[in-house]
Amino acid sequence: MAVTEAKYLIFLVVSIIRSAEAALVEMWTVYYRQGLAIISDYKERIFSWYRFVMGPDTENNGDSVASKLFGTLNGFMRKFLFRILSVGPVPNHLAFILDGNRRYAKKWKLQEGTGHKCGFWALMSILKYCNELGVKYVTIYAFSIDNFKRRPNEVQYVMDLMHEKIEGLLKEESIMNQYGVRVYFIGNLKLLPERVRVVAEKAMKATENNKNTVLLICVAYTSTDEIVHAAQESCQHEWDEIQAMKASESNDGGEIISNENQEEHRFINLVDLEKYFYMGVAPDVDILFRTSGETRLSNFLLWQTSTCLLYSPRALFPELGLRHLVWSVLNFQRVYPYLERRRKQV
Amino acid sequence: MPSLQLSLSISPLTDPTLSPQPKPQSLLLVPHTPLRPKHLLCCLFATAKNAIIVEDQDAVVNGRVGADTSVPAEEDLLLPAGLQKEFMPKHVAVIMDGNRRWARMRGLPVVLGYEAGIRALRRVMGLCCKWGIIRVLTVFAFSSDNWFRPKVEVDFLMRLFGRGLKDELENFVRKNIRISVIGDSSKLPKPLQELIMAATETTKNNSGLHLIVAVNYSGQRDIVQACQSIALKAKDGLIEPEDINEFLIEQELDTRCAAFPHPDLLIRTSGELRVSNFLLWQLAYTELFFTQSHWPEFGESEFLEALHSFQQRQRRYGGKNT
C-alpha cells in the first residue's frame, strides 16, 4: 500500500539523517575534544573547538580550510536544529552546576587546575548555544560558600582564574555589548577577596545597559545563605518602618494606633522575602543541569527550583555538549503543558 | 535484564496480588539513573546469599556458614546483603507520585490507585521498621497545590487519611512508631485535624521509626512561616535582625520535631524529575533518586535499588574529595 511505502521511506530518510548527524558528532568529539588530540603533540587541540565557538576573529587563525569549513557546517546544522526546537516552548531560564572539572583533569591526566580552564571553555560554548536557542537567563554555580573549605591553593587558583576571566570580559566589553549580555554576580560578595569583588562590580556596571541575555554567575553563594540574608533584610526593613512610624506618631502627638493593629500589617510574606533574594533579578528556573551524574542540589537555588526539571547527565562538565542541551529541552517540552496548567491554577 | 526481585522472607504487610513484578529499567529513557553493573552484581549476589539464608537458618549468618557462633547484632541479621550499615541513610524522604497514573494504566478508578498507594506506604514502613537503621521517614502525601484536583478526589483523599490514621494507630503504638504531621493543617477538615492531634499526642513518646506525613505542605510556605516567627521574635526584641542565621531558621521550620531534620535520600517515583515544592531548605545536600515505577508498585526491590544507589554516591558537601 502507498501508505506503508511512504512510512518506510520516511523512516529511511530519518535514519540517514540520524546516521549522518551521529557521524559528524563522533568526528567532532574524537578529533577535537579528545581521542587524537590527546596522543598528538598539539595538546591545545583538546580545547581547539573554543576557536570555532568564539568566531573566526580570535587569536590563532592558523587553522586549515577543512576545519573552518567543518566549523561553519556545524554552526549551520546547529541553527537548523534550534529552529526545529523553537516550534515548542523554549525554556526561559537555565541553571548549571559546574561539577566535574577536577575529575576531568584527573581522567585525562592534565595538570591540576587545567580542568577548571576546560570547564570555562565548555561554559563559553554552552552560553553560545543558549544565546542561539533564545534562552534569556543563564545561571551558573561558579563557587559555593562551602567550596572555601577546599585546599587553600585550589581556592586561590579559582579566585585567580575568576579574576583573570572577569578582567578578560571587561576587555571584550564590545562583544558583550554586541550580544547584549548583562552580567550579574550573585552571592555574598563580601566573602570574596577584595580585587575579585572590585572587578566583579565593575563588570556588572559595564554591562548594565544590555537587555538581550542575562548571565548570572553565583560566587560565594549558597541558597540557605540567600534566604537568611533575605530574612535579615526584611526584618531590618520592618524594624525600620516600625521605628519610623513610632517616631512620626510621637512627633504628631496624635492618637497612638494600637500595637496589635501594627502587628497585623507587619507580617513578612512570600513577596517580601523574594524581593530581597540575590536572585530576585531573574524569574524561576526552568531546567537545572547538574553534570557528572550526581543528583543533588548542593544548596543551589533551592527556592527557585521548586518546580523545575532536574537533569543530571553523566558527562563531566567540560564534556557537556549540545546533545545534552537538546535532550533536556525536549524533556522540558514534554512536561511543560502539565506544569503550565498547574501554574495557572495556583 | 535479570529480575530485581529479591527472595527475602515476605513481610506480612506485603500484598502480592496488587504489586506486580517491577518492570526493568529502560536505560534509554532514564539516562540520569543508570543501573551500573555494580548494582546488578550486588543484587544478584544478594539473591544468591539470601537463598542460602532461607535454606539453612541455623547454620548460616549473612552467608557465612557454620563456624562463627558469636551472636550478631539484631540489625546485621535483618539488613539485606549488599548494604552496608554505616552508609545507610538516617532520614529518607519520599514523594509518592503516580497513584492516579498507575490506576489509569490498569483501567481502575483513581481512588483504587490511592488505596494501593497506602498499601505501598505500609510496605515501606514495614521495611524501615525491620531494618531499624532508617530513623525518620518523611512522605509527601498532599501538596498545597493539590487542592486544585477534582473535589471528589480531594474529599476521598481526606477521608482516606482519616481512615488510615484511625486504623493504623494501634499498629503505631505496638510497633513504637511516632507520627507527626507537617504542613498547614488549618485548612484540613475539622475531624481530620482532631484525628491528627490525637495520633500525634498518643505517639509522641515513641522511640522507634518517626513517620512524618506532609499534608497541605509547601516548602516555600514552610520557609516563609519560619521567617515570620523569627521576625516576630525580632520585633519583640528577643533577637537582633543581624543575629538571624541558618540555625535559627532551622529551629522554626516544620521539621524541627525530627531528630534528623535533613533527609539523606529523597526518592521520587513515576519518573518525574522535579522536587515539586517539597522540603526545599532541608534538601540542600540530599541525594535525589528518581525511579520510573509508580508509587503503588514501589516495593522492596525498588527501595533496595534506591539504597544501593545512595551507598554508591560520594558526598562531599562542597569540600574536597574524601
Side-chain angles (χ1 to χ4, degrees), chain A residues 92-116:
Chain A
N92 193 27
H93 186 169
L94 295 186
F96 294 87
I97 301 184
L98 318 180
D99 201 10
N101 297 314
R102 292 180 296 171
R103 269 169 281 179
Y104 183 80
K106 231 185 270 184
K107 180 172 156 187
W108 293 107
K109 300 192 181 33
L110 304 170
Q111 250 184 355
E112 197 183 314
T114 320
H116 293 287

PDB file of all heavy atoms in Angstrom, chain A residues 92-116:
ATOM      1  N   ASN A  92      13.069  29.547  29.549  1.00  0.00           N
ATOM      2  CA  ASN A  92      13.453  30.940  29.708  1.00  0.00           C
ATOM      3  C   ASN A  92      14.701  31.089  30.565  1.00  0.00           C
ATOM      4  O   ASN A  92      15.478  32.025  30.398  1.00  0.00           O
ATOM      5  CB  ASN A  92      12.275  31.674  30.377  1.00  0.00           C
ATOM      6  CG  ASN A  92      12.420  33.154  30.300  1.00  0.00           C
ATOM      7  OD1 ASN A  92      13.062  33.665  29.388  1.00  0.00           O
ATOM      8  ND2 ASN A  92      11.849  33.855  31.250  1.00  0.00           N
ATOM      9  N   HIS A  93      14.895  30.154  31.501  1.00  0.00           N
ATOM     10  CA  HIS A  93      15.969  30.295  32.473  1.00  0.00           C
ATOM     11  C   HIS A  93      16.603  28.931  32.684  1.00  0.00           C
ATOM     12  O   HIS A  93      15.946  27.989  33.096  1.00  0.00           O
ATOM     13  CB  HIS A  93      15.364  30.825  33.792  1.00  0.00           C
ATOM     14  CG  HIS A  93      16.380  31.143  34.840  1.00  0.00           C
ATOM     15  ND1 HIS A  93      16.053  31.822  35.993  1.00  0.00           N
ATOM     16  CD2 HIS A  93      17.713  30.911  34.932  1.00  0.00           C
ATOM     17  CE1 HIS A  93      17.129  31.980  36.742  1.00  0.00           C
ATOM     18  NE2 HIS A  93      18.150  31.433  36.114  1.00  0.00           N
ATOM     19  N   LEU A  94      17.897  28.840  32.371  1.00  0.00           N
ATOM     20  CA  LEU A  94      18.633  27.593  32.604  1.00  0.00           C
ATOM     21  C   LEU A  94      19.650  27.806  33.702  1.00  0.00           C
ATOM     22  O   LEU A  94      20.280  28.859  33.767  1.00  0.00           O
ATOM     23  CB  LEU A  94      19.377  27.160  31.333  1.00  0.00           C
ATOM     24  CG  LEU A  94      18.557  26.783  30.113  1.00  0.00           C
ATOM     25  CD1 LEU A  94      19.474  26.255  29.030  1.00  0.00           C
ATOM     26  CD2 LEU A  94      17.550  25.725  30.454  1.00  0.00           C
ATOM     27  N   ALA A  95      19.848  26.796  34.541  1.00  0.00           N
ATOM     28  CA  ALA A  95      20.851  26.903  35.594  1.00  0.00           C
ATOM     29  C   ALA A  95      21.799  25.712  35.481  1.00  0.00           C
ATOM     30  O   ALA A  95      21.374  24.608  35.160  1.00  0.00           O
ATOM     31  CB  ALA A  95      20.178  26.916  36.963  1.00  0.00           C
ATOM     32  N   PHE A  96      23.080  25.955  35.735  1.00  0.00           N
ATOM     33  CA  PHE A  96      24.085  24.910  35.590  1.00  0.00           C
ATOM     34  C   PHE A  96      24.914  24.797  36.863  1.00  0.00           C
ATOM     35  O   PHE A  96      25.410  25.808  37.365  1.00  0.00           O
ATOM     36  CB  PHE A  96      25.057  25.242  34.440  1.00  0.00           C
ATOM     37  CG  PHE A  96      24.406  25.248  33.104  1.00  0.00           C
ATOM     38  CD1 PHE A  96      23.798  26.397  32.623  1.00  0.00           C
ATOM     39  CD2 PHE A  96      24.395  24.114  32.319  1.00  0.00           C
ATOM     40  CE1 PHE A  96      23.189  26.411  31.385  1.00  0.00           C
ATOM     41  CE2 PHE A  96      23.785  24.120  31.074  1.00  0.00           C
ATOM     42  CZ  PHE A  96      23.180  25.271  30.609  1.00  0.00           C
ATOM     43  N   ILE A  97      25.079  23.563  37.333  1.00  0.00           N
ATOM     44  CA  ILE A  97      26.035  23.325  38.422  1.00  0.00           C
ATOM     45  C   ILE A  97      27.272  22.747  37.748  1.00  0.00           C
ATOM     46  O   ILE A  97      27.234  21.669  37.155  1.00  0.00           O
ATOM     47  CB  ILE A  97      25.477  22.349  39.465  1.00  0.00           C
ATOM     48  CG1 ILE A  97      24.194  22.920  40.049  1.00  0.00           C
ATOM     49  CG2 ILE A  97      26.492  22.105  40.558  1.00  0.00           C
ATOM     50  CD1 ILE A  97      23.592  22.087  41.160  1.00  0.00           C
ATOM     51  N   LEU A  98      28.389  23.488  37.842  1.00  0.00           N
ATOM     52  CA  LEU A  98      29.581  23.132  37.066  1.00  0.00           C
ATOM     53  C   LEU A  98      30.389  22.089  37.817  1.00  0.00           C
ATOM     54  O   LEU A  98      31.420  22.399  38.390  1.00  0.00           O
ATOM     55  CB  LEU A  98      30.444  24.370  36.819  1.00  0.00           C
ATOM     56  CG  LEU A  98      29.718  25.657  36.456  1.00  0.00           C
ATOM     57  CD1 LEU A  98      30.720  26.767  36.263  1.00  0.00           C
ATOM     58  CD2 LEU A  98      28.896  25.468  35.204  1.00  0.00           C
ATOM     59  N   ASP A  99      29.933  20.847  37.796  1.00  0.00           N
ATOM     60  CA  ASP A  99      30.577  19.807  38.585  1.00  0.00           C
ATOM     61  C   ASP A  99      31.429  18.916  37.712  1.00  0.00           C
ATOM     62  O   ASP A  99      31.044  18.570  36.600  1.00  0.00           O
ATOM     63  CB  ASP A  99      29.475  18.968  39.251  1.00  0.00           C
ATOM     64  CG  ASP A  99      29.981  18.222  40.448  1.00  0.00           C
ATOM     65  OD1 ASP A  99      31.116  18.486  40.882  1.00  0.00           O
ATOM     66  OD2 ASP A  99      29.242  17.372  40.960  1.00  0.00           O
ATOM     67  N   GLY A 100      32.603  18.528  38.198  1.00  0.00           N
ATOM     68  CA  GLY A 100      33.387  17.521  37.488  1.00  0.00           C
ATOM     69  C   GLY A 100      34.656  18.027  36.834  1.00  0.00           C
ATOM     70  O   GLY A 100      35.304  17.284  36.102  1.00  0.00           O
ATOM     71  N   ASN A 101      35.041  19.275  37.115  1.00  0.00           N
ATOM     72  CA  ASN A 101      36.245  19.799  36.471  1.00  0.00           C
ATOM     73  C   ASN A 101      37.504  19.081  36.946  1.00  0.00           C
ATOM     74  O   ASN A 101      38.381  18.716  36.158  1.00  0.00           O
ATOM     75  CB  ASN A 101      36.386  21.294  36.758  1.00  0.00           C
ATOM     76  CG  ASN A 101      35.234  22.081  36.182  1.00  0.00           C
ATOM     77  OD1 ASN A 101      34.854  21.880  35.033  1.00  0.00           O
ATOM     78  ND2 ASN A 101      34.665  22.964  36.968  1.00  0.00           N
ATOM     79  N   ARG A 102      37.558  18.848  38.271  1.00  0.00           N
ATOM     80  CA  ARG A 102      38.777  18.201  38.790  1.00  0.00           C
ATOM     81  C   ARG A 102      38.854  16.757  38.332  1.00  0.00           C
ATOM     82  O   ARG A 102      39.932  16.227  38.048  1.00  0.00           O
ATOM     83  CB  ARG A 102      38.769  18.271  40.321  1.00  0.00           C
ATOM     84  CG  ARG A 102      38.925  19.683  40.859  1.00  0.00           C
ATOM     85  CD  ARG A 102      38.924  19.715  42.363  1.00  0.00           C
ATOM     86  NE  ARG A 102      37.663  19.281  42.915  1.00  0.00           N
ATOM     87  CZ  ARG A 102      37.446  19.047  44.212  1.00  0.00           C
ATOM     88  NH1 ARG A 102      38.424  19.219  45.071  1.00  0.00           N
ATOM     89  NH2 ARG A 102      36.265  18.653  44.640  1.00  0.00           N
ATOM     90  N   ARG A 103      37.676  16.097  38.248  1.00  0.00           N
ATOM     91  CA  ARG A 103      37.682  14.708  37.798  1.00  0.00           C
ATOM     92  C   ARG A 103      38.085  14.620  36.340  1.00  0.00           C
ATOM     93  O   ARG A 103      38.740  13.663  35.916  1.00  0.00           O
ATOM     94  CB  ARG A 103      36.288  14.097  37.979  1.00  0.00           C
ATOM     95  CG  ARG A 103      36.105  13.428  39.307  1.00  0.00           C
ATOM     96  CD  ARG A 103      34.674  13.070  39.550  1.00  0.00           C
ATOM     97  NE  ARG A 103      33.920  14.222  39.983  1.00  0.00           N
ATOM     98  CZ  ARG A 103      32.617  14.187  40.254  1.00  0.00           C
ATOM     99  NH1 ARG A 103      31.951  13.065  40.120  1.00  0.00           N
ATOM    100  NH2 ARG A 103      31.991  15.268  40.650  1.00  0.00           N
ATOM    101  N   TYR A 104      37.699  15.627  35.566  1.00  0.00           N
ATOM    102  CA  TYR A 104      38.088  15.660  34.152  1.00  0.00           C
ATOM    103  C   TYR A 104      39.596  15.749  34.034  1.00  0.00           C
ATOM    104  O   TYR A 104      40.223  15.030  33.245  1.00  0.00           O
ATOM    105  CB  TYR A 104      37.419  16.861  33.478  1.00  0.00           C
ATOM    106  CG  TYR A 104      37.670  16.982  32.013  1.00  0.00           C
ATOM    107  CD1 TYR A 104      36.953  16.223  31.098  1.00  0.00           C
ATOM    108  CD2 TYR A 104      38.615  17.878  31.518  1.00  0.00           C
ATOM    109  CE1 TYR A 104      37.175  16.338  29.738  1.00  0.00           C
ATOM    110  CE2 TYR A 104      38.834  17.990  30.165  1.00  0.00           C
ATOM    111  CZ  TYR A 104      38.116  17.224  29.277  1.00  0.00           C
ATOM    112  OH  TYR A 104      38.338  17.346  27.938  1.00  0.00           O
ATOM    113  N   ALA A 105      40.211  16.633  34.841  1.00  0.00           N
ATOM    114  CA  ALA A 105      41.671  16.788  34.792  1.00  0.00           C
ATOM    115  C   ALA A 105      42.357  15.483  35.186  1.00  0.00           C
ATOM    116  O   ALA A 105      43.329  15.054  34.560  1.00  0.00           O
ATOM    117  CB  ALA A 105      42.113  17.923  35.707  1.00  0.00           C
ATOM    118  N   LYS A 106      41.789  14.812  36.212  1.00  0.00           N
ATOM    119  CA  LYS A 106      42.394  13.548  36.643  1.00  0.00           C
ATOM    120  C   LYS A 106      42.238  12.497  35.563  1.00  0.00           C
ATOM    121  O   LYS A 106      43.136  11.702  35.309  1.00  0.00           O
ATOM    122  CB  LYS A 106      41.694  13.074  37.926  1.00  0.00           C
ATOM    123  CG  LYS A 106      42.649  12.737  39.047  1.00  0.00           C
ATOM    124  CD  LYS A 106      41.934  12.158  40.228  1.00  0.00           C
ATOM    125  CE  LYS A 106      41.514  13.260  41.170  1.00  0.00           C
ATOM    126  NZ  LYS A 106      40.888  12.799  42.391  1.00  0.00           N
ATOM    127  N   LYS A 107      41.067  12.493  34.921  1.00  0.00           N
ATOM    128  CA  LYS A 107      40.766  11.454  33.926  1.00  0.00           C
ATOM    129  C   LYS A 107      41.718  11.560  32.747  1.00  0.00           C
ATOM    130  O   LYS A 107      42.188  10.557  32.223  1.00  0.00           O
ATOM    131  CB  LYS A 107      39.318  11.652  33.462  1.00  0.00           C
ATOM    132  CG  LYS A 107      38.830  10.678  32.433  1.00  0.00           C
ATOM    133  CD  LYS A 107      37.330  10.888  32.244  1.00  0.00           C
ATOM    134  CE  LYS A 107      36.886  10.396  30.895  1.00  0.00           C
ATOM    135  NZ  LYS A 107      35.496  10.722  30.607  1.00  0.00           N
ATOM    136  N   TRP A 108      41.973  12.790  32.281  1.00  0.00           N
ATOM    137  CA  TRP A 108      42.847  12.959  31.131  1.00  0.00           C
ATOM    138  C   TRP A 108      44.283  13.272  31.533  1.00  0.00           C
ATOM    139  O   TRP A 108      45.081  13.682  30.714  1.00  0.00           O
ATOM    140  CB  TRP A 108      42.312  14.071  30.212  1.00  0.00           C
ATOM    141  CG  TRP A 108      41.032  13.672  29.583  1.00  0.00           C
ATOM    142  CD1 TRP A 108      39.788  14.149  29.879  1.00  0.00           C
ATOM    143  CD2 TRP A 108      40.842  12.682  28.565  1.00  0.00           C
ATOM    144  NE1 TRP A 108      38.831  13.522  29.116  1.00  0.00           N
ATOM    145  CE2 TRP A 108      39.459  12.608  28.300  1.00  0.00           C
ATOM    146  CE3 TRP A 108      41.700  11.842  27.857  1.00  0.00           C
ATOM    147  CZ2 TRP A 108      38.913  11.749  27.364  1.00  0.00           C
ATOM    148  CZ3 TRP A 108      41.150  10.988  26.917  1.00  0.00           C
ATOM    149  CH2 TRP A 108      39.785  10.941  26.674  1.00  0.00           C
ATOM    150  N   LYS A 109      44.603  13.083  32.789  1.00  0.00           N
ATOM    151  CA  LYS A 109      45.951  13.252  33.325  1.00  0.00           C
ATOM    152  C   LYS A 109      46.516  14.630  32.977  1.00  0.00           C
ATOM    153  O   LYS A 109      47.654  14.760  32.528  1.00  0.00           O
ATOM    154  CB  LYS A 109      46.883  12.147  32.815  1.00  0.00           C
ATOM    155  CG  LYS A 109      46.382  10.763  33.227  1.00  0.00           C
ATOM    156  CD  LYS A 109      47.432   9.720  32.993  1.00  0.00           C
ATOM    157  CE  LYS A 109      47.008   8.318  33.363  1.00  0.00           C
ATOM    158  NZ  LYS A 109      45.636   7.915  33.202  1.00  0.00           N
ATOM    159  N   LEU A 110      45.688  15.654  33.153  1.00  0.00           N
ATOM    160  CA  LEU A 110      46.147  17.012  32.916  1.00  0.00           C
ATOM    161  C   LEU A 110      46.634  17.583  34.235  1.00  0.00           C
ATOM    162  O   LEU A 110      46.425  16.998  35.291  1.00  0.00           O
ATOM    163  CB  LEU A 110      44.992  17.864  32.378  1.00  0.00           C
ATOM    164  CG  LEU A 110      44.309  17.335  31.126  1.00  0.00           C
ATOM    165  CD1 LEU A 110      43.041  18.134  30.862  1.00  0.00           C
ATOM    166  CD2 LEU A 110      45.237  17.454  29.949  1.00  0.00           C
ATOM    167  N   GLN A 111      47.224  18.769  34.130  1.00  0.00           N
ATOM    168  CA  GLN A 111      47.678  19.427  35.351  1.00  0.00           C
ATOM    169  C   GLN A 111      46.488  19.826  36.186  1.00  0.00           C
ATOM    170  O   GLN A 111      45.425  20.124  35.657  1.00  0.00           O
ATOM    171  CB  GLN A 111      48.394  20.722  34.953  1.00  0.00           C
ATOM    172  CG  GLN A 111      49.856  20.710  35.172  1.00  0.00           C
ATOM    173  CD  GLN A 111      50.416  22.073  34.839  1.00  0.00           C
ATOM    174  OE1 GLN A 111      49.713  22.960  34.369  1.00  0.00           O
ATOM    175  NE2 GLN A 111      51.681  22.254  35.085  1.00  0.00           N
ATOM    176  N   GLU A 112      46.726  19.879  37.475  1.00  0.00           N
ATOM    177  CA  GLU A 112      45.607  20.300  38.330  1.00  0.00           C
ATOM    178  C   GLU A 112      45.286  21.755  38.024  1.00  0.00           C
ATOM    179  O   GLU A 112      46.146  22.581  37.915  1.00  0.00           O
ATOM    180  CB  GLU A 112      46.022  20.183  39.795  1.00  0.00           C
ATOM    181  CG  GLU A 112      44.805  20.203  40.707  1.00  0.00           C
ATOM    182  CD  GLU A 112      45.171  20.165  42.180  1.00  0.00           C
ATOM    183  OE1 GLU A 112      46.038  19.335  42.526  1.00  0.00           O
ATOM    184  OE2 GLU A 112      44.614  20.951  42.942  1.00  0.00           O
ATOM    185  N   GLY A 113      44.034  22.089  37.883  1.00  0.00           N
ATOM    186  CA  GLY A 113      43.669  23.460  37.521  1.00  0.00           C
ATOM    187  C   GLY A 113      43.323  23.574  36.054  1.00  0.00           C
ATOM    188  O   GLY A 113      42.552  24.441  35.668  1.00  0.00           O
ATOM    189  N   THR A 114      43.872  22.681  35.227  1.00  0.00           N
ATOM    190  CA  THR A 114      43.524  22.738  33.803  1.00  0.00           C
ATOM    191  C   THR A 114      42.080  22.315  33.619  1.00  0.00           C
ATOM    192  O   THR A 114      41.416  22.749  32.668  1.00  0.00           O
ATOM    193  CB  THR A 114      44.439  21.807  32.987  1.00  0.00           C
ATOM    194  OG1 THR A 114      45.750  21.892  33.497  1.00  0.00           O
ATOM    195  CG2 THR A 114      44.449  22.191  31.530  1.00  0.00           C
ATOM    196  N   GLY A 115      41.609  21.464  34.508  1.00  0.00           N
ATOM    197  CA  GLY A 115      40.207  21.054  34.433  1.00  0.00           C
ATOM    198  C   GLY A 115      39.273  22.242  34.507  1.00  0.00           C
ATOM    199  O   GLY A 115      38.279  22.323  33.782  1.00  0.00           O
ATOM    200  N   HIS A 116      39.599  23.187  35.378  1.00  0.00           N
ATOM    201  CA  HIS A 116      38.755  24.381  35.502  1.00  0.00           C
ATOM    202  C   HIS A 116      38.787  25.204  34.231  1.00  0.00           C
ATOM    203  O   HIS A 116      37.774  25.769  33.812  1.00  0.00           O
ATOM    204  CB  HIS A 116      39.218  25.235  36.686  1.00  0.00           C
ATOM    205  CG  HIS A 116      38.995  24.576  38.011  1.00  0.00           C
ATOM    206  ND1 HIS A 116      37.741  24.439  38.557  1.00  0.00           N
ATOM    207  CD2 HIS A 116      39.853  24.008  38.886  1.00  0.00           C
ATOM    208  CE1 HIS A 116      37.842  23.813  39.716  1.00  0.00           C
ATOM    209  NE2 HIS A 116      39.107  23.533  39.945  1.00  0.00           N
TER     210      HIS A 116
END
